[in-house]
Structures are given as structure tokens and as C-alpha cells.
Amino acid sequence: MICVGRRMGQRHLLPRLLARECAISSSMETVQVDKNRLNSYVPKSKPVSKNDVKELEAFINGRSRIFVLTGAGISTESGIPDYRSKEVGLYDRVNHRPMQHSDFIKDNKGRQRYWARNYVGWRRFALHQPNSIHRTLVEWERSGRVYWTVTQNVDALHARAGTTSLTELHGCLSRVICLDCGDTTSREHLQSRLDEYNRDWSSLSSGVGPDADEFIREEDVEKFRVAACEKCGGRLKPDVVFFGDNVRRIKVERAFSILASCDSMLVLGTSLHVWSGYRFVVRAHELSIPIACVNIGETRADDKFTVKINGKCSEVLQRVVLT
């Protein structure tokens, strides 16, 4: 077990957290965390062939207005774990499920549990950097090839890389919103407030999950102090769509409108298991918009793709030459 908290100098302890293994408690499997292995959460895949690259290259070079949809398979290459990847995703590693929308909204204990775990996990999460996939998409956007990007990820890595024509479908963990008055603040500001509120608090961390979630003991959760909205004293929530909630319809309709104006769609790093992202492939297929996909493993929409490459996104995109 690893002890973290204000008393023990959490910010100075972080390098050691990243370098050590996290041993999951007896009800969980072992999770390996290694700062030198950004591929820790990338599922195994076979090398991509030259023919695969050429096929995608021909697809992209034949288009001038590409709509890109990205998923967790982009972020895993930055060292961020996902939920569903075979063997390395959360559901295959541990007996744990993410926060549900209803639990967070209705239950004080649910919010306390979320913020305690997120408080411990935030500093580690904030260290993750955009990778070559993010940078390639920025280059393609600036060249005029990619018209718009919709991401299912909440890590802000697309924005930090420089993508400007962007829809963060499920929101962003870097923002915090008050459920009662709607005021928005930065996650970093909230972290500073939580530092002060929990000056004498510490916790044992037993592993890391997706979306800045850290596994800690329930007895530590119960001692954690949750901050309220500075304007109205209301309930604070990360500006993201939790499991069991819905993306705002206006956001979906705007993305649909943009998709209808594009000449192609490129799907990167997602199994499309969740309807939230899958609906865009369905809409593109209905509009007869050709779709290419790069993903490790099968997806829910394999029968709808013009081009499908089973492989690691970075290996494919880095070899594509635009003409």
C-alpha cells in the first residue's frame, strides 16, 4: 500500500507513486504502474502492415473534410487506463465500477467517495501529456484535412495538443460545475481548496483507475472533507457525463450537423460499445459518408466501415503521408 496525503507531502510523493507498483487489496487483482511504460494500458496488437497503412493513406488523401471520432484508445497511449480494453482495461483488472450519475447526484456519501478518490488521483492524472496521435490530428486540422474532432475522452489532451475544432462529447475533468447555481471553476482551483480543507488528512492508495480515480480505503473516505460551491454553497461536480447520464441533446445535434457537412469519417481508438459515440457512425452510415477506423480489436460497427485497420493508432497514423 502507498500512503498519500497533505501530511506526507502529496506533491513531492508523486514521482515515487508513479515509479512503484500499486498492489490491489485482496478482493482485486494486481495493477502495475510504471512511469517508463506508457503502453501499460494499451492492449496487445499485431504489427500493422504496409498495405494497411497504404489503404488508410488512400482513404485520407481522397478526402478534404474529415470528421474524426476518438475514444479511450487514444488516451491509453498517454498512459491513461480505460474501462474495456482486453486484459488491461479496468473491467478486466479489478472488481470495481465507476461512479454512477444517480449515486453522485442523490447521495452525499457518493459525492464524498468520488471527491476523495479524485483528490488523490488528480495530481497523477494531470501529469499525462498529449501523444503523437493528438499531435498528428492537430497537424491534419491545420493542413485543412480534418474539419472537426469529436472526442469521447474527458482528459483535455486534444485541447492541450492544440486541436481547436473540437467537441468534448462527455465534458472535461479540468472543469468543475455547481449543480445548483451553474457556476464553473477550474479543477486546479478546487484542488487547492481541497488541500486546505484536508490539511491533516491522509490515505492509503491501492491502485489507479480511469478518469483520475484512485482506489483508497473506505475508512479514509469517511474522513475526507468535500468542498461546496464558493458562490452558493451548492454541490460541485466535475463537468463530465457520468455513467447513467446523457449527453446534452444540443451538443449531439450540433455534432450531427457538422458531420452532415463532411465528406468522410475517421474513427480512432474506440470499440464504440457505448451508444454515445456509436450513434455518429450510425448517422454517417445513414448519410452514405465513408468511414475508416483504426482500433485494436473488434468494434460494434465493423460492418459499417469502408476501411478497418486492427492495430495501434500511433503506429498507423505516424506512417500516413498526406499529399
Side-chain angles (χ1 to χ4, degrees):
M1 293 289 197
I2 303 170
C3 187
V4 296
R6 187 62 181 264
R7 281 187 307 189
M8 302 203 55
Q10 182 175 339
R11 298 182 187 184
H12 300 292
L13 184 59
L14 188 54
R16 280 189 287 156
L17 280 174
L18 289 171
R20 293 179 58 181
E21 291 186 357
C22 290
I24 301 303
S25 59
S26 59
S27 62
M28 300 178 177
E29 299 174 16
T30 298
V31 180
Q32 303 289 338
V33 178
D34 185 341
K35 66 178 181 179
N36 297 316
R37 295 179 64 242
L38 288 181
N39 289 331
S40 296
Y41 300 110
V42 179
K44 296 177 182 178
S45 63
K46 295 180 179 179
V48 177
S49 70
K50 291 183 179 179
N51 288 338
D52 284 338
V53 175
K54 291 296 183 183
E55 189 176 14
L56 182 64
E57 196 171 73
F59 179 92
I60 292 174
N61 284 321
R63 318 294 168 185
S64 60
R65 197 177 174 94
I66 302 174
F67 181 97
V68 176
L69 174 69
T70 69
I74 302 299
S75 298
T76 55
E77 296 201 39
S78 285
I80 299 175
D82 69 355
Y83 291 99
R84 295 182 176 84
S85 288
K86 186 177 180 181
E87 296 182 352
V88 294
L90 178 73
Y91 295 160
D92 267 12
R93 289 189 289 120
V94 298
N95 181 24
H96 170 76
R97 291 298 180 265
M99 173 63 66
Q100 297 295 308
H101 177 75
S102 59
D103 293 337
F104 188 93
I105 298 298
K106 299 176 182 179
D107 184 11
N108 289 334
K109 290 293 184 182
R111 288 192 292 277
Q112 183 185 41
R113 182 178 301 106
Y114 175 84
W115 283 121
R117 293 164 60 133
N118 186 267
Y119 171 73
V120 175
W122 177 252
R123 292 301 180 195
R124 181 201 303 265
F125 187 81
L127 289 177
H128 293 296
Q129 298 296 317
N131 58 52
S132 64
I133 309 166
H134 300 100
R135 293 190 290 271
T136 295
L137 291 176
V138 170
E139 292 173 6
W140 290 0
E141 177 187 276
R142 291 173 179 171
S143 72
R145 195 62 56 97
V146 168
Y147 182 72
W148 202 268
T149 298
V150 171
T151 184
Q152 300 170 85
N153 302 330
V154 297
D155 49 39
L157 293 184
H158 279 294
R160 287 171 56 192
T163 293
T164 57
S165 300
L166 176 68
T167 297
E168 292 173 323
L169 193 63
H170 298 147
C172 179
L173 283 171
S174 297
R175 299 185 297 270
V176 178
I177 189 169
C178 176
L179 292 170
D180 299 293
C181 75
D183 184 54
T184 301
T185 56
S186 74
R187 180 63 185 80
E188 281 297 325
H189 176 64
L190 176 60
Q191 189 75 4
S192 296
R193 293 181 63 206
L194 292 174
D195 281 343
E196 294 302 317
Y197 279 30
N198 296 280
R199 187 182 296 272
D200 296 320
W201 181 84
S202 63
S203 174
L204 289 175
S205 173
S206 60
V208 60
D211 303 335
D213 187 20
E214 198 102 359
F215 307 143
I216 64 176
R217 304 180 308 181
E218 280 300 313
E219 53 263 46
D220 294 328
V221 168
E222 292 171 0
K223 300 173 185 176
F224 186 79
R225 293 185 61 198
V226 178
C229 175
E230 291 179 292
K231 286 195 173 182
C232 75
R235 301 161 297 167
L236 294 179
K237 174 183 175 294
D239 191 13
V240 299
V241 177
F242 281 137
F243 284 79
D245 193 11
N246 296 310
V247 179
R248 287 183 301 155
R249 194 65 202 171
I250 189 172
K251 182 182 284 191
V252 174
E253 291 297 341
R254 182 166 185 264
F256 275 163
S257 177
I258 294 170
L259 174 60
S261 72
C262 293
D263 63 7
S264 56
M265 181 176 186
L266 176 61
V267 177
L268 298 172
T270 174
S271 65
L272 300 168
H273 180 86
V274 178
W275 169 250
S276 181
Y278 177 63
R279 68 178 127 198
F280 292 101
V281 174
V282 172
R283 178 60 62 93
H285 190 257
E286 291 172 347
L287 295 172
S288 298
I289 295 173
I291 311 166
C293 174
V294 183
N295 185 63
I296 298 174
E298 297 179 352
T299 81
R300 187 178 178 182
D302 282 356
D303 61 334
K304 295 178 174 59
F305 298 140
T306 304
V307 175
K308 167 65 189 302
I309 298 176
N310 189 339
K312 191 176 175 182
C313 290
S314 60
E315 291 182 3
V316 179
L317 267 58
Q318 286 180 321
R319 293 166 60 184
V320 170
V321 178
L322 298 187
T323 58

